[in-house]
Amino acid sequence: MPLPALVSPGPELTRAELLRYSRQISLPHVGIDGQRRLKDARVLVLGAGGLGSPVLQYLAAAGVGTIGIADHDTVEVSNLQRQTIHPDARVGDRKVASAAAAVRAQNPLIEVIEHDAEVTPATVLELVSEYDVVVDGTDNFEVQYVVDAACALVGKPLVWGSVLRFDGQVTVFWATAGEGLDRTLDDLYPEQPDADAGETCSVAGVLGPVCAAIGAVMATETLKLLGGYGEPLLGRLLVHDALDASWREVPFGKAANRDTPGSRRTRGAANIGEPYSYTKQGAAAAGPATALFERQSTVTSPTPSVTAPELKSLLEARERGEADFVLVDVREMHENQLVAIEGSELVPLGQILSDQAREILPPQEKVIVHCHHDARSQQAAALLRANGWEDVTFVQGGIDAWSREVDPSAPRY
């Protein structure tokens, strides 16, 4: 059933607003009062990427009076295929500034607030408290659980989406929703899914229009919550498969013991307001693990690492005959073709324990592994150490750090 509107009607509409939103005002569920609600509404969009792009564009077009944008990244060329709010000329700019400029150009009648900061337990509560609805388009489960816990603490609805390859998911969480509709991220995922570096957009890929499809649903759900019409996706996960053009609904209830002391949710809420550092892993890690990753390492000691400048020195020493090691790139072929470190051997993560790989990096050799950042290289190092390799090191920050700290001519992606 429809829930009460989140926002009361704001100031009277100007002639410019009446003209701009006329096709929307003509909808019986919206009308003049509904448009005035949107004018007075405040929505925070977390992430100005593949999902944030369509959400921001549609909320701005609909006349949401105040839109906050939170992101702490820069625009890269590889973003442009799906993050349609950013033009080519904005490559290298801060994403928040780029997205804000696009939104202001699209609709000068609304206010845009820029939050160029990392979303952490120390900052999230102040962020979400200032808005009526929070839209989560981030790609990191650690961030998403923190956002969900903060929204639950202050009673804000959270519109959530996720995309990978040709698939997408979208739902609504709201810990204080009435009529037995209260749901949180913990109900959908009672335990945080294991990170699988192979199940991220940078490795597995994503079709741009899938972001648009899921983002459009997220924007629709946001407008429904603000205006109090339709049935929100509370307790219902909408799943999209672009390959067979299907949409299916998966109902989900409340997780058992989600509010008991010591549960994942109560532990997450207790961390709100505390300093925290996230690991580099994507939300797409919810996907099923391959057989390779079912053989996870049981090694508990920390894996040694080197920085990009330290790797440069080691490569120079190897060139002089003063060091002996194998540098292994565990990314995919297309990534290696885009940018590579001279002197490295390509062995994609999925082949790291193959017979062919053993010929390149025999167990008795010293091995240094790198990837795009360092999630896959850490997994590769753990797998190697668990299967007989004793001297394995990974490169902190991967080839992205190499591009930033050693060779600025190497393209970033």
Side-chain angles (χ1 to χ4, degrees):
M1 64 177 64
L3 296 176
L6 278 174
V7 183
S8 299
E12 295 292 333
L13 301 176
T14 65
R15 180 177 178 80
E17 290 168 333
L18 287 168
L19 180 61
R20 176 181 286 264
Y21 309 125
S22 60
R23 297 297 185 273
Q24 189 164 273
I25 292 171
S26 65
L27 294 170
H29 293 84
V30 180
I32 293 291
D33 280 354
Q35 193 62 50
R36 289 172 58 196
R37 293 183 197 276
L38 294 182
K39 182 176 181 176
D40 211 39
R42 298 173 60 87
V43 175
L44 174 65
V45 179
L46 301 175
L51 292 175
S53 290
V55 170
L56 288 167
Q57 290 167 324
Y58 277 111
L59 294 183
V64 172
T66 302
I67 299 176
I69 309 173
D71 204 308
H72 193 51
D73 206 351
T74 57
V75 181
E76 299 178 4
V77 172
S78 61
N79 299 152
L80 303 181
Q81 162 261 349
R82 64 199 178 282
Q83 301 181 17
T84 55
I85 202 166
H86 307 293
D88 185 80
R90 284 287 189 172
V91 171
D93 291 355
R94 305 299 295 178
K95 279 189 178 179
V96 162
S98 172
V103 171
R104 292 186 182 110
Q106 180 183 4
N107 189 349
L109 303 182
I110 66 174
E111 180 183 2
V112 183
I113 301 175
E114 302 176 32
H115 302 282
D116 192 345
E118 187 176 14
V119 180
T120 70
T123 62
V124 67
L125 205 57
E126 182 178 358
L127 267 178
V128 303
S129 297
E130 298 298 316
Y131 294 89
D132 301 305
V133 177
V134 178
V135 182
D136 192 347
T138 63
D139 63 354
N140 185 304
F141 261 118
E142 291 181 80
V143 175
Q144 292 173 358
Y145 276 112
V146 168
V147 171
D148 176 71
C151 288
L153 282 174
V154 296
K156 305 290 184 178
L158 174 63
V159 179
W160 177 90
S162 177
V163 292
L164 185 68
R165 297 190 180 95
F166 298 92
D167 303 321
Q169 303 176 355
V170 59
T171 190
V172 176
F173 305 119
W174 195 357
T176 57
E179 307 296 335
L181 295 175
D182 53 303
R183 296 292 188 276
T184 68
L185 179 58
D186 297 88
D187 296 321
L188 184 60
Y189 292 112
E191 296 296 331
Q192 180 170 318
D194 293 332
D196 181 346
E199 295 293 302
T200 61
C201 288
S202 62
V203 179
V206 61
L207 189 69
V210 175
C211 298
I214 297 300
V217 176
M218 295 169 75
T220 299
E221 290 300 302
T222 302
L223 297 176
K224 286 162 56 179
L225 289 167
L226 294 171
Y229 53 84
E231 295 188 21
L233 281 171
L234 286 163
R236 298 182 293 144
L237 179 70
L238 193 60
V239 180
H240 177 46
D241 183 341
L243 285 178
D244 62 15
S246 67
W247 292 85
R248 61 190 178 93
E249 181 182 297
V250 181
F252 64 96
K254 301 176 187 179
N257 303 319
R258 74 174 186 188
D259 296 314
T260 58
S263 68
R264 206 222 59 81
R265 179 185 176 194
T266 58
R267 291 197 305 270
N271 290 330
I272 299 298
E274 297 295 325
Y276 189 76
S277 176
Y278 296 116
T279 59
K280 188 78 176 183
Q281 63 183 18
T290 64
L292 171 65
F293 296 110
E294 291 172 359
R295 303 172 56 189
Q296 287 296 331
S297 168
T298 58
V299 176
T300 56
S301 58
T303 301
S305 64
V306 296
T307 65
E310 288 171 342
L311 175 62
K312 180 177 183 291
S313 297
L314 286 170
L315 288 169
E316 292 170 347
R318 188 176 71 172
E319 184 70 21
R320 297 191 301 267
E322 300 171 0
D324 186 21
F325 61 90
V326 181
L327 177 61
V328 179
D329 181 352
V330 299
R331 298 175 300 151
E332 298 300 311
M333 174 69 77
H334 69 274
E335 296 176 275
N336 180 267
Q337 292 175 338
L338 176 65
V339 56
I341 299 175
E342 186 176 354
S344 64
E345 300 283 350
L346 177 64
V347 182
L349 180 58
Q351 303 170 25
I352 199 67
L353 297 179
S354 66
D355 291 339
Q356 296 90 334
R358 286 178 178 269
E359 296 179 5
I360 298 172
L361 53 146
Q364 65 270 21
E365 292 283 347
K366 174 180 176 63
V367 178
I368 301 177
V369 291
H370 85 81
C371 61
H372 184 198
H373 292 105
D374 58 32
R376 280 175 282 173
S377 61
Q378 290 192 57
Q379 287 200 5
L383 286 165
L384 291 172
R385 295 175 72 199
N387 287 273
W389 281 258
E390 295 183 358
D391 196 348
V392 185
T393 302
F394 74 91
V395 180
Q396 298 174 19
I399 200 166
D400 189 68
W402 179 271
S403 301
R404 288 184 284 105
E405 301 172 20
V406 176
D407 183 7
S409 67
R412 298 179 65 194
Y413 66 99

